Amino acid sequence: MDAVQIEAEPLEDLAGLLDPVRAETFLSTAALARKALAGRIIWNINSTASGGGVAEMLQVLLAYARGADVDARWLVLDGDPAFFEITKALHNALHGSLIGRTGFGAEDQAHYERVMSANLAQLRDLVRPGDVVLLHDPQTAGLAAGLKQLGAHVVWRCHIGRDERTEITDLGWDFLREHVLGADAFVFSRSSYVPLWLPPERVMIIQPSIDPFSTKNVDLPGHEVRRVLLGVGLVHNGDPRGVVGFQRREGSEGVLRRHADLLTNAPPPIDAPLVLQVSRWDRLKDMPGVLSGFAAHVAPLVPDAHVVLAGPDVSGIADDPEGAEVYAECHAVWAALPPEVQNRCHLASVPMDDVDENALIVNALQRHAAVVVQKSLAEGFGLTLTEAMWKSRPVIASAVGGLQDQLTDGDEGFLLHDAADLETFGALVTRMLGDPEGRRTMGRRAQERVRRDFLGDRHLIQWVELLTKLGG
């Protein structure tokens, strides 16, 4: 297992964004956590240190926990390609999709358990009686029973799910059931995701949050946004590009690199209205649908608009074996477009070898976009949607899963009630692009919605409530 280093984030920074009563509640809860959890380690275990929503959420939560003087630590488990193929299939199954499989066999269960045993052997030298271990998603569920035998308090945190039970979701839960039941408590993002066989008194609903001070979300003035996007090559205006420096989260200086293979084609003009989706190359994010919907139903009506589908460089994501396949599928859709439309559609592979550079690029893209979309076919909680809303971007999202909890239809943006309806998707995008004042109004409401519901104080308070109960 690899340890991920996390720097403490001063609680006063976040408290400064809150009203006085809310700030006092936040700081007093942090003091309670410091006292109640003294002498214990809070371990978080997941499958990757970067490249996904869980990793980003852990960056937020653990930074503030450490700012509260809680000994919070983060480990990334070890797994081989076969293990990650199995757990990706489980991820898809819990969303109701089972691409390329008919189910899970005894060999899958045996391999999963072998990987869990190997990781548990490493944890025996680290985890002490009384410690708390937070396990994240299907990749880690099989550690629960063994960690309890070590005397730890164990919470399994499921970031995914589907509102309706299906035969496919049952396959995934059947695989995981005995592993999951080994935990003391269970956390979900949405009550409809909770399997009926879990004891309700041991379940808690906690929605994710964002960190407004992270490199991905920190405020960037307009000239800095343009400087970053021009420097990295995501937009153009014909001007020569100089060296672009930036400050990393821990305070050191970084230099933005220019990446020759960042885009499939020439970048859009800097003044072109930009439609953006940022997500993993995952079939459930429906990137090909965004591309097809824009090409057929937006491009003919808004002749200067461009679309960018931005996802991680697939070579940098160890726990997502589907990524390269989905990127290739998107590229095939893009390659088949008429040249005049293809020139206005762009696939961006954002590098993953420098986490701060990646975050800065995404931050600038989201702030530059006229409209941000999340046209997922299934979604536990769309963290990139909340990030865009914090940046005062109007949003369009499929009315699936946690996305329905993140915005009110017609207020901060629009919900697409049928994710497969490309014509309606195109009409909503076109409507937004044609209404600059409406975009500004929705963007202001979006930021206030995030300030109210999705900042780290609420998130941390809920976790402190749960962990203090577990610790007695």
Side-chain angles (χ1 to χ4, degrees):
M1 284 192 174
D2 294 325
V4 182
Q5 299 304 312
I6 296 292
E7 299 296 325
E9 182 71 24
L11 303 186
E12 292 74 18
D13 289 352
L14 181 56
L17 293 176
L18 312 175
D19 66 68
V21 173
R22 185 170 160 186
E24 176 56 32
T25 301
F26 173 49
L27 294 174
S28 62
T29 302
L32 171 65
R34 190 179 306 120
K35 180 178 179 181
L37 299 172
R40 295 181 174 137
I41 300 173
I42 311 300
W43 300 94
N44 282 265
I45 304 175
N46 80 319
S47 62
T48 182
S50 62
V54 176
E56 292 184 16
M57 284 182 254
L58 290 180
Q59 290 279 355
V60 176
L61 199 61
L62 272 62
Y64 287 119
R66 294 184 73 83
D69 292 327
V70 172
D71 190 356
R73 305 186 194 182
W74 179 2
L75 298 172
V76 175
L77 59 75
D78 294 328
D80 59 15
F83 171 79
F84 287 124
E85 188 279 324
I86 294 166
T87 55
K88 180 64 177 182
L90 287 169
H91 171 279
N92 289 340
L94 296 190
H95 280 303
S97 174
L98 201 60
I99 298 167
R101 272 179 169 265
T102 56
F104 302 93
E107 325 78 52
D108 297 321
Q109 188 70 247
H111 190 82
Y112 179 87
E113 291 175 4
R114 281 195 297 272
V115 172
M116 292 292 94
S117 295
N119 282 273
L120 185 62
Q122 299 179 60
L123 291 168
R124 289 195 180 98
D125 295 328
L126 299 172
V127 177
R128 308 167 306 180
D131 285 355
V132 179
V133 184
L134 311 182
L135 302 174
H136 295 268
D137 280 336
Q139 296 94 331
T140 63
L143 297 171
L147 288 165
K148 280 186 68 175
Q149 290 177 359
L150 298 179
H153 305 286
V154 182
V155 181
W156 186 63
R157 191 352 172 169
C158 186
H159 297 271
I160 55 180
R162 181 184 173 94
D163 289 334
E164 308 86 12
R165 174 182 170 181
T166 70
E167 291 182 3
I168 293 176
T169 61
D170 285 348
L171 287 173
W173 286 121
D174 287 347
F175 185 103
L176 290 168
R177 180 171 180 162
E178 292 306 313
H179 300 299
V180 168
L181 286 170
D184 297 294
F186 318 96
V187 175
F188 290 79
S189 299
R190 207 159 196 254
S191 58
S192 58
Y193 296 166
V194 181
L196 296 177
W197 40 263
L198 281 179
E201 69 276 8
R202 292 162 60 190
V203 174
M204 189 168 183
I205 305 302
I206 302 179
Q207 292 181 318
S209 63
I210 66 163
D211 178 8
F213 302 105
S214 70
T215 306
K216 184 173 282 188
N217 296 313
V218 70
D219 187 39
L220 290 178
H223 71 276
E224 281 294 307
V225 170
R226 291 187 292 273
R227 194 170 73 100
V228 169
L229 296 180
L230 284 167
V232 79
L234 278 169
V235 298
H236 77 86
N237 68 350
D239 290 346
R241 304 172 184 87
V243 174
V244 179
F246 66 94
Q247 188 172 42
R248 298 184 182 280
R249 176 66 181 264
E250 85 285 355
S252 66
E253 291 296 319
V255 175
L256 194 68
R257 299 167 296 171
R258 186 165 179 81
H259 300 272
D261 54 352
L262 186 63
L263 284 174
T264 45
N265 50 345
I270 196 168
D271 57 351
L274 189 67
V275 179
L276 173 70
Q277 178 160 311
V278 177
S279 61
R280 281 193 179 207
W281 303 102
D282 183 316
R283 288 188 176 88
L284 296 177
K285 309 297 184 185
D286 196 24
M287 300 279 247
V290 176
L291 191 57
S292 297
F294 177 89
H297 302 292
V298 179
L301 299 175
V302 191
D304 58 343
H306 287 241
V307 65
V308 169
L309 303 181
D313 177 356
V314 294
S315 65
I317 306 295
D319 70 330
D320 191 356
E322 259 185 13
E325 295 176 12
V326 176
Y327 178 81
E329 291 166 9
C330 290
H331 194 278
V333 173
W334 172 82
L337 294 173
E340 65 276 11
V341 177
Q342 187 185 83
N343 292 339
R344 296 164 53 198
C345 300
H346 314 271
L347 309 183
S349 295
V350 186
M352 297 296 300
D353 60 331
D354 185 325
V355 174
D356 287 317
E357 182 189 56
N358 175 284
L360 180 68
I361 292 169
V362 172
N363 189 344
L365 264 177
Q366 289 174 327
R367 292 184 185 278
H368 182 66
V371 178
V372 175
V373 303
Q374 189 63 56
K375 207 188 78 60
S376 299
L377 305 177
E379 191 74 62
F381 187 94
L383 205 62
T384 55
L385 191 75
T386 297
E387 292 164 355
M389 291 170 67
W390 177 247
K391 300 171 179 82
S392 299
R393 297 299 89 193
V395 293
I396 296 171
S398 302
V400 297
L403 296 176
Q404 301 167 93
D405 302 328
Q406 294 173 250
L407 72 141
T408 302
D409 191 20
D411 193 349
E412 305 94 0
F414 294 112
L415 287 171
L416 177 66
H417 294 284
D418 178 359
D421 184 353
L422 299 186
E423 184 174 356
T424 300
F425 168 72
L428 290 173
V429 172
T430 300
R431 175 178 171 182
M432 272 196 176
L433 291 175
D435 184 8
E437 183 54 40
R439 294 203 306 270
R440 284 189 286 271
T441 299
M442 283 185 164
R444 287 192 295 270
R445 292 174 182 161
Q447 187 179 69
E448 286 309 306
R449 174 67 181 273
V450 176
R451 189 188 307 275
R452 186 180 79 226
D453 294 336
F454 302 121
L455 294 185
D457 66 310
R458 183 270 308 158
H459 198 177
L460 190 67
I461 288 168
Q462 288 182 289
W463 274 110
V464 170
E465 178 186 343
L466 174 60
L467 296 185
T468 51
K469 284 181 184 177
L470 279 177

